[in-house]
Amino acid sequence: MYDPTRLAALVAVAEAGSITRAAARLGYTPPALSQQLAKLEREAGAALLVRHHRGARLTAAGELLAARARRVLDEMDQARHELARLAGLSGGRLRVGTFTTVGIHLLPPVLSAFRRAHPDVELAVAEYEPPDGVLAVAAGEVDLALTHAYEPAEPAPPPAGVVVEPLLVEELVLVTAPGHALAGGSGRLPVAELAGQPLISSAPSHPPRKGVEGALARAGVTPAVVCESPGYALVCALVSAGIGVAVVPEMVSAMSVTPLGVRQLEPAAFRRTISVAHRGEESAPAAESLRALLRGTFGRAAGRTGEP
């Protein structure tokens, strides 16, 4: 039996013509997608891909398997759709809240799978900077919302009637320009070694900055913040250009469009938990279906970042 996830990976590469583009479409990192394809090749007992400097192309065996895989995946989508109709998911509207990082890197393939399974359900997506998405669920503005919380920080209890369900925990890591001295070592980098380093950071009240500054203060170090930016994409671009270093979630570093050096930190207490906020048992069937897809997709992402 072939794993449907690996079959979907092969079809994505066939359509995208590149492991990198296929990985972005599916919410994987390129190395993780390559691992899935290598396992599929072992299952098939044949080479399925030929990699070249412009991307990847399928071998004759890969083309044959991809054609069959499309049929299998289409049948599975049709089965999900028919089951959804039996469950009453043949119409209505699902309103989803998200924040930028997850909205770009993990949510699109989930919504694509939901749309294939439930084409009659209208989707509406709105952007909320956490914790505003949780408040939007409480106010009835959206049916569910993706949100996050950073550690170390004091957790805020959710509003009455709202359940916050963790999906993925990721570390915060140091990012530097490629070839930077701090990126070259092995093992975790003690936070105290950031002393004197120009730091590109977020607003003073942002939890990651407060956590890093608190750790530096305990080590007797004052951070040298040279630039403040509200968006991780700009932070990574400035870091890549050599303006300074930054501490960002692991997903941000993995999905950056600019080249970066990455180093884990010591202590390993800097984390971000990504969760979905919903109305518990009062949630509509469409919201329940999307939550199941989120759990599956984010669970795979957790495996790729080394989380349990």
Side-chain angles (χ1 to χ4, degrees), residues 178-301:
H180 192 284
L182 293 183
S186 60
R188 292 182 176 273
L189 179 75
V191 173
E193 291 195 27
L194 297 182
Q197 290 290 333
L199 190 66
I200 298 172
S201 192
S202 48
S205 61
H206 199 218
R209 176 166 171 180
K210 291 171 69 176
V212 171
E213 288 186 347
L216 288 172
R218 288 189 291 275
V221 175
T222 301
V225 178
V226 296
C227 184
E228 294 181 354
S229 170
Y232 281 132
L234 179 55
V235 166
C236 290
L238 294 173
V239 168
S240 183
I243 307 303
V245 302
V247 177
V248 303
E250 193 172 9
M251 184 192 309
V252 172
S253 68
M255 300 298 184
S256 173
V257 298
T258 53
L260 297 170
V262 181
R263 187 90 178 267
Q264 290 182 305
L265 292 169
E266 181 65 44
F270 304 118
R271 296 177 179 269
R272 179 171 77 166
T273 300
I274 298 173
S275 305
V276 58
H278 55 88
R279 287 192 285 275
E281 295 180 357
E282 296 182 10
S283 298
E288 292 287 342
S289 179
L290 185 63
R291 279 171 51 208
L293 288 169
L294 286 168
R295 284 193 291 269
T297 298
F298 282 57
R300 291 193 296 273

Side-chain angles (χ1 to χ4, degrees), residues 89-173:
L89 290 179
S90 57
R93 189 167 188 249
L94 180 63
R95 301 163 301 166
V96 182
T98 185
F99 59 95
T100 302
T101 312
V102 158
I104 293 173
H105 300 307
L106 286 182
L107 185 59
V110 176
L111 294 182
S112 179
F114 182 89
R115 173 57 59 81
R116 289 195 303 270
H118 313 303
D120 297 330
V121 176
E122 180 187 349
L123 280 171
V125 181
E127 188 172 359
Y128 294 92
E129 183 64 25
D132 293 347
V134 178
L135 301 177
V137 172
E141 297 172 8
V142 294
D143 299 295
L144 50 78
L146 290 159
T147 187
H148 61 55
Y150 286 90
E151 298 175 32
E154 194 66 31
V162 176
V163 177
V164 178
E165 175 185 346
L167 297 171
L168 169 65
V169 180
E170 57 177 339
E171 282 192 32
L172 304 187
V173 295

